[in-house]
């Protein structure tokens, strides 16, 4: 009852500002918005023309005076001004018809600098948030996947996003070790594009490469290898061309290098774990989240390389946003670890 009355005036929101996808969680409602992290702006005036899916369609095919950008591309804030525009779009979109500005929890990449954090926080305040709480993505992902982060035991989370892979070791509600490497799902797409060009002189777009990855990409030998009919442009002949590729060559020829880097970052976190926590991990294993965790067989590959049990989040793409949602429920808990800035 009181919740309903309170929600009439304001509703707190959680935002997962990912390199590939941005999600918004509305308190007591769940995930209400899910859009690619892309903003299309007019060059001279810097006016926002489109955000999310509409803006993504413009990527790579915009006329001269429109630019489509991914403000969080590499896991850093590439353009704070555009990040602010994205935040404004999200906050006002979700909070319209409300009388009060929302309290906002924002999940940011694990390795952004204090200066960048400050900038995001200030942007969110200017964009219409009443109070802003920042949480590191690996912590949000761990909470979102239901790991017992406040227990005195070790939890390990591996979040493979579009532009980064974040690996963190958490115990007693704190991050004991965390590392963000600039490699993720986008690099798999680029590796597929490069492979097709080098091997077959075939130019393919980003979207085709992503489709190949999702349909036949893998990190571990498949019981039954698959094929894919690729359409692209032959660089030598200069005309459209179609050919058939196998899942085996995509795995060995294109994806292997990127996957090795991801596995190495997990190994490195394990090497840096304090001995007691390592001992916990032997039984508890690690949890995988992020869209990249959906690559077929990546869990098995990591399990084999680390000799640890590997669990996949129920919904890897929403783990961070779900985590911000749980934090909204316990803002008091967060208030103890960060200081909110009031305007
Ligand atoms: P971020 O948190 O950086 O925004 P996400 O967790 O949303 O990233 O993951 C986006 C990445 O996941 C993209 O590179 C996308 O291609 C990849 N992805 C999504 N679904 C799949 C799938 N089924 N198989 C492999 N990769 C996937
Ligand atoms: Mg993410």
């Amino acid at each position: 009852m009181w919740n309903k009355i309170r929600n009439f005036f304001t509703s707190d929101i959680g935002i997962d500002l990912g390199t590939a996808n941005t999600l918004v969680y509305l308190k007591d409602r769940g995930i209400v918005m899910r859009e690619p992290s892309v903003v299309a702006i007019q060059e001279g005036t810097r006016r926002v023309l489109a955000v999310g899916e509409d803006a993504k369609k413009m990527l790579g095919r915009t006329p001269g005076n429109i630019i489509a950008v991914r403000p969080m591309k590499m896991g850093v804030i590439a353009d704070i001004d555009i990040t602010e525009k994205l935040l404004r779009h999200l906050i006002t979109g979700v909070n319209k018809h409300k009388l009060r500005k929302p309290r906002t929890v924002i999940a940011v990449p694990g390795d952004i600098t204090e200066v960048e954090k400050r900038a995001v926080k200030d942007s969110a305040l200017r964009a219409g948030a009443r109070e802003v709480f920042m949480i590191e993505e690996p912590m949000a992902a761990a909470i979102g996947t239901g790991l017992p982060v406040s227990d005195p035991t070790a939890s390990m989370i591996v979040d493979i996003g579009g532009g980064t892979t974040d690996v963190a070791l958490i115990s007693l509600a704190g991050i004991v070790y965390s590392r963000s490497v600039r490699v993720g799902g986008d690099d798999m797409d680029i590796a597929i594009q490069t492979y097709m060009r080098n091997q077959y002189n075939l130019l393919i777009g980003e979207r085709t490469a992503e489709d190949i990855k999702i349909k036949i990409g893998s990190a571990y030998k498949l019981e039954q290898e698959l094929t894919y009919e690729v359409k692209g442009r032959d660089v030598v002949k200069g005309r459209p061309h179609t050919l058939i590729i196998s899942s085996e060559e995509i795995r060995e020829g294109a994806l292997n290098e990127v996957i090795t880097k991801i596995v190495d970052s997990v190994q490195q976190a394990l090497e840096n774990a304090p001995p007691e926590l390592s001992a916990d991990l032997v039984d508890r294993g690690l949890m995988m989240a992020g869209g990249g965790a959906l690559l077929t067989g990546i869990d098995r590959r990591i399990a084999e390389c680390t000799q640890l049990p590997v669990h996949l989040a129920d919904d890897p793409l929403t783990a961070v946003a779900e985590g911000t949602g749980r934090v909204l429920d316990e803002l008091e808990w967060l208030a103890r670890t960060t200081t909110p800035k009031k305007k």
Side-chain angles (χ1 to χ4, degrees):
M1 167 71 180
W2 283 114
N3 261 356
K4 273 199 181 146
I5 293 173
R6 188 168 46 81
N7 285 352
F8 180 74
F9 294 105
T10 185
S11 206
D12 296 338
I13 61 179
I15 298 176
D16 165 14
L17 215 47
T19 63
N21 297 297
T22 296
L23 284 78
V24 180
Y25 187 107
L26 186 61
K27 192 162 159 38
D28 304 322
R29 283 275 304 280
I31 292 164
V32 290
M33 210 191 261
R34 213 173 158 152
E35 296 265 12
S37 310
V38 184
V39 183
I41 57 169
Q42 188 147 41
E43 215 171 3
T45 61
R46 290 180 76 81
R47 196 164 66 86
V48 177
L49 300 173
V51 173
E53 199 56 56
D54 296 340
K56 189 177 179 182
K57 287 192 197 122
M58 297 180 178
L59 268 184
R61 56 167 74 122
T62 52
N65 58 343
I66 299 174
I67 40 177
V69 281
R70 294 177 55 182
M72 310 287 297
K73 195 170 172 61
M74 301 295 288
V76 291
I77 320 292
D79 191 323
I80 191 67
D81 182 39
I82 293 174
T83 304
E84 182 169 330
K85 291 188 160 121
L86 179 61
L87 286 170
R88 183 179 300 279
H89 173 83
L90 303 171
I91 295 172
T92 51
V94 170
N95 202 55
K96 62 181 168 229
H97 313 310
K98 303 269 184 199
L99 300 175
R100 254 188 118 186
K101 292 173 167 186
R103 289 200 289 189
T104 307
V105 171
I106 304 180
V108 288
D111 71 337
I112 73 168
T113 63
E114 283 305 315
V115 175
E116 285 178 309
K117 255 188 211 169
R118 177 92 253 157
V120 173
K121 205 169 196 172
D122 290 341
S123 297
L125 289 168
R126 280 194 300 269
R130 169 158 53 101
E131 259 179 71
V132 179
F133 303 84
M134 314 285 274
I135 181 169
E136 295 189 342
E137 270 169 13
M139 181 60 92
I143 295 171
T145 54
L147 291 174
V149 293
S150 26
D151 287 5
T153 173
S155 291
M156 188 165 174
I157 179 90
V158 178
D159 177 353
I160 308 171
T164 59
T165 294
D166 287 280
V167 183
L169 197 61
I170 295 167
S171 176
L172 288 167
I175 293 179
V176 178
Y177 170 90
S178 113
R179 182 133 186 271
S180 181
V181 289
R182 304 259 151 100
V183 58
D186 296 347
D187 301 276
M188 298 179 197
D189 304 347
I190 294 168
I192 292 173
Q193 282 180 302
T194 310
Y195 175 81
M196 292 309 294
R197 197 195 160 125
N198 292 347
Q199 204 67 18
Y200 299 108
N201 287 320
L202 193 73
L203 282 187
I204 58 168
E206 252 172 69
R207 293 195 147 201
T208 304
E210 185 183 27
D211 196 51
I212 295 172
K213 170 183 74 177
I214 292 174
K215 301 261 169 63
I216 67 161
S218 60
Y220 201 91
K221 206 170 162 7
L222 302 178
E223 256 166 45
Q224 182 135 38
E225 298 293 346
L226 306 164
T227 58
Y228 186 104
E229 191 184 278
V230 197
K231 296 191 181 77
R233 180 159 62 85
D234 188 303
V235 208
V236 181
K237 300 193 186 99
R239 56 176 141 86
H241 185 64
T242 304
L243 54 87
I244 308 279
I245 48 163
S246 74
S247 51
E248 198 169 4
E249 62 177 312
I250 289 299
R251 181 175 63 246
E252 308 296 340
L255 297 177
N256 197 40
E257 204 179 311
V258 175
I259 290 158
T260 304
K261 278 190 198 157
I262 293 173
V263 174
D264 285 350
S265 67
V266 177
Q267 299 273 33
Q268 207 168 12
L270 291 170
E271 282 163 22
N272 282 288
E276 286 80 8
L277 297 187
S278 292
D280 294 344
L281 293 175
V282 173
D283 300 322
R284 303 180 29 81
L286 56 93
M287 175 68 80
M288 295 188 65
L294 290 167
L295 182 77
T296 307
I298 195 155
D299 46 350
R300 194 155 169 204
R301 173 88 171 258
I302 292 180
E304 195 174 275
C305 293
T306 59
Q307 296 291 307
L308 292 176
V310 172
H311 312 281
L312 185 60
D314 289 340
D315 186 354
L317 285 161
T318 59
V320 171
E322 290 289 345
T324 64
R326 301 259 180 102
V327 171
L328 287 173
D329 292 335
E330 293 183 48
L331 271 181
E332 291 66 35
W333 173 84
L334 192 72
R336 271 188 270 139
T337 52
T338 53
T339 2
K341 179 173 183 285
K342 290 211 172 79
K343 207 177 180 180

